[in-house]
Amino acid sequence: MLNKHEGFHSVLMVWATLVVSSEQHTANISSSFFSDNRPFKAYANSTKIVETLLKHYDKRIRPGVKGSPVEVRVDMYVANIWAMEEVKMEFTIDIYLRQYWRDERLAFGHLTSDPLLTLSSNINKQIWVPSTYFLKTKKAYFHDVTTENYLLQIRPNGSIFYSIRLTITASCTLDLRRFPHDTQLCTLALESYGYQTTDVWYAWNPRDDNTSAIFVNNEVELPQFELVKVEKEAVINKYNIGNHSSLVAMFKMKRRIGYFLIDTYVPSTIIVIISWISFWINPDTAPARVALGITTVLTMTTLISSARASLPKVSYVKAIDWYLLLCLIFVFGSILEYTFIAFMINVRNKSKRKPSVDSEWGDGSKKQEERTEFLSLFTPKCSPRRGNALKRVFSQAETDSLGVESKTFPEKTEREKWYFISNPHTIDRCSRIGFPLTFFAFNCIYWLVHSKGST
């Protein structure tokens, strides 16, 4: 029996030894696994750093509240500039706004040797950020596809890099006096909404590659404009509550005239040339010339209306208005030219059919004899007084009739009249040369003036 018990105890001892050794082996394996996978320690370390930094942090107070104002350096990357709307006087721009400042409360150099701490987008709600807003903004929105487009990085000394993607529709005051040969200057200004210059100071940030603080994507292409240059400046805006630091980005854009050449200038020029066809049509063919003149005038009116439809209702005259107005005057002038020719032809035909004054009344001596003979028939010999009265009546009647006839038919020949031309077709011949030369001179002056102004 003792041998059996001893054997059983020995078996138990061996089994317990095996179990203990296996547990120790598993513990050694797990400990070696966690010691070799350092990310777990890194995550725990980063979490501990963030919790330590935010433990006593008050986002309501700006950095350096008792010292000098916080310097916020800004640069922006222009991803795209959308087409400008002249009617609303606005333009839309897509930018990456990048802001840099230092908050000594977020310095973590004494906690870890990591060179950079990149945090999620919602961390910006737990720390102080500048109250930056854009002036003259009609609407703006953040991008949140597929996630909120924020980037926040902190360096060991507390320097913060904060990047946001924005799409902004801002107003742009346009001067359209030289439209479509104009060059517009649109501005995008930002400043702090709640902090004055004593608390926050804005400055443009020089980029690491020595490029401008406003970098424009090389693929930016506007339908009607060419981006000539981008300028920047820092200004101080004065308000009743105090001074605010502000940064202004100025985009100088020159309008491309190709669209308006095809849509407005070339059609209006062709319409003016078509109106000159009436100078080669016989003046006796009135329906053809009148129909051509009215058609060209109505076409020019429609073209003017369509050209002004996409523009704001400004009180001054634009360059394109001057051109279209002169084209309308040339077209209307061709109608007036034919009207004058028809008037002269009508006057000449009437003058040929009108009888002369001498053939109607005879010479003076013959008229005097007829008057004496006529009065003698009505003059009674027994009543001299009545005869004298009758003579006075007929003399007055003759004088009045001669006075009226002298006003109606003045003693002037047709060659003394200002509107008389021996051949009305001469006006058509002169118009065939005069109208094109005048229109060509107008075009030379117009394009010369506006080509100099647009450079």
Side-chain angles (χ1 to χ4, degrees):
M1 292 294 291
L2 292 173
N3 292 333
K4 291 182 179 180
H5 286 291
E6 290 177 356
F8 180 74
H9 284 293
S10 62
V11 172
L12 290 177
M13 290 296 293
V14 173
W15 181 78
T17 303
L18 293 174
V19 170
V20 171
S21 62
S22 64
E23 290 179 353
Q24 290 178 353
H25 181 68
T26 304
N28 292 333
I29 293 174
S30 62
S31 61
S32 63
F33 175 80
F34 283 103
S35 61
D36 293 339
N37 288 268
R38 295 182 180 179
F40 289 95
K41 288 185 178 181
Y43 292 144
N45 189 22
S46 299
T47 302
K48 184 178 180 181
I49 291 173
V50 174
E51 291 177 351
T52 302
L53 294 177
L54 299 178
K55 185 176 182 180
H56 300 289
Y57 190 91
D58 191 352
K59 67 176 182 179
R60 298 171 297 179
I61 302 175
R62 70 171 180 86
V65 64
K66 297 297 183 179
S68 59
V70 181
E71 183 183 14
V72 180
R73 293 176 290 113
V74 177
D75 66 64
M76 63 177 63
Y77 174 77
V78 179
N80 200 358
I81 300 177
W82 306 105
M84 185 182 301
E85 296 187 26
E86 286 84 1
V87 177
K88 298 181 180 179
M89 288 195 177
E90 64 183 22
F91 75 105
T92 304
I93 185 171
D94 187 8
I95 64 171
Y96 292 84
L97 179 65
R98 298 163 178 171
Q99 304 178 74
Y100 309 80
W101 71 92
R102 184 174 181 272
D103 192 344
E104 61 275 5
R105 294 172 295 179
L106 298 177
F108 60 90
H110 60 286
L111 299 177
T112 182
S113 60
D114 295 339
L116 189 66
L117 183 61
T118 302
L119 303 176
S120 61
S121 59
N122 60 357
I123 198 67
N124 63 342
K125 300 177 182 179
Q126 303 180 43
I127 65 173
W128 180 91
V129 294
S131 58
T132 304
Y133 84 105
F134 289 88
L135 287 74
K136 299 180 180 179
T137 301
K138 293 186 176 181
K139 58 183 179 180
Y141 61 90
F142 299 99
H143 291 264
D144 54 1
V145 179
T146 59
T147 183
E148 294 181 347
N149 297 169
Y150 294 92
L151 175 61
L152 183 63
Q153 294 178 345
I154 305 176
R155 297 190 178 275
N157 62 348
S159 298
I160 300 175
F161 169 63
Y162 184 49
S163 177
I164 319 172
R165 185 187 175 191
L166 301 170
T167 298
I168 302 171
T169 301
S171 61
C172 180
T173 304
L174 305 178
D175 186 1
L176 301 174
R177 288 181 174 85
R178 303 185 65 86
F179 177 88
H181 313 274
D182 54 333
T183 300
Q184 302 296 338
L185 185 65
C186 295
T187 61
L188 186 66
L190 61 88
E191 69 177 28
S192 177
Y193 190 85
Y195 294 98
Q196 303 178 12
T197 54
T198 55
D199 295 319
V200 174
W201 185 270
Y202 284 92
W204 289 109
N205 179 59
R207 297 169 62 89
D208 296 337
D209 53 358
N210 295 325
T211 56
S212 175
I214 305 174
F215 185 80
V216 182
N217 185 8
N218 296 327
E219 297 181 358
V220 171
E221 186 73 19
L222 284 80
Q224 293 187 15
F225 288 92
E226 176 187 357
L227 186 61
V228 179
K229 62 179 179 179
V230 180
E231 298 178 350
K232 61 183 184 299
E233 66 176 351
V235 298
I236 297 178
N237 296 328
K238 297 182 180 180
Y239 303 105
N240 293 334
I241 60 174
N243 300 333
H244 286 244
S245 177
S246 177
L247 299 179
V248 182
M250 295 172 288
F251 302 92
K252 187 176 183 181
M253 294 177 286
K254 180 181 178 182
R255 193 183 302 273
R256 294 172 178 171
I257 199 174
Y259 169 79
F260 300 96
L261 285 175
I262 300 173
D263 188 69
T264 304
Y265 286 101
V266 173
S268 60
T269 303
I270 293 176
I271 293 172
V272 173
I273 295 174
I274 291 175
S275 67
W276 299 340
I277 298 177
S278 63
F279 302 149
W280 277 266
I281 300 177
N282 193 338
D284 296 331
T285 313
R289 295 191 68 161
V290 172
L292 180 61
I294 294 176
T295 303
T296 52
V297 169
L298 293 177
T299 307
M300 277 301 307
T301 305
T302 305
L303 188 61
I304 292 174
S305 300
S306 62
R308 295 171 61 91
S310 60
L311 297 175
K313 297 179 181 179
V314 294
S315 58
Y316 49 81
V317 182
K318 301 175 287 293
I320 194 171
D321 294 336
W322 286 115
Y323 190 89
L324 294 176
L325 180 61
L326 265 296
C327 290
L328 181 61
I329 291 176
F330 273 97
V331 172
F332 187 68
S334 63
I335 299 179
L336 293 181
E337 185 265 353
Y338 175 68
T339 303
F340 187 65
I341 290 178
F343 172 73
M344 289 192 304
I345 293 176
N346 188 25
V347 170
R348 187 179 63 175
N349 294 336
K350 285 184 178 181
S351 63
K352 289 181 179 180
R353 295 193 301 266
K354 183 173 61 176
S356 61
V357 177
D358 293 342
S359 61
E360 190 172 315
W361 293 97
D363 56 356
S365 58
K366 186 176 181 181
K367 288 189 292 181
Q368 183 67 22
E369 293 177 358
E370 291 177 354
R371 183 177 65 84
T372 305
E373 183 178 358
F374 180 76
L375 291 177
S376 61
L377 295 175
F378 294 94
T379 305
K381 297 180 180 179
C382 60
S383 180
R385 188 174 181 181
R386 182 179 178 184
N388 293 333
L390 189 59
K391 288 181 181 180
R392 287 195 301 271
V393 172
F394 276 92
S395 297
Q396 184 67 29
E398 181 184 2
T399 303
D400 295 339
S401 63
L402 290 177
V404 172
E405 293 300 332
S406 63
K407 293 180 182 179
T408 307
F409 302 101
E411 295 181 358
K412 292 184 179 180
T413 61
E414 292 180 354
R415 297 183 181 275
E416 296 178 356
K417 296 178 181 179
W418 65 272
Y419 52 77
F420 178 79
I421 296 179
S422 59
N423 188 6
H425 295 272
T426 306
I427 300 179
D428 273 343
R429 298 190 186 97
C430 295
S431 299
R432 294 171 189 173
I433 301 175
F435 272 73
L437 288 179
T438 307
F439 188 70
F440 177 75
F442 160 69
N443 274 272
C444 291
I445 296 173
Y446 178 87
W447 293 106
L448 182 63
V449 169
H450 291 289
S451 62
K452 288 183 177 180
S454 59
T455 55

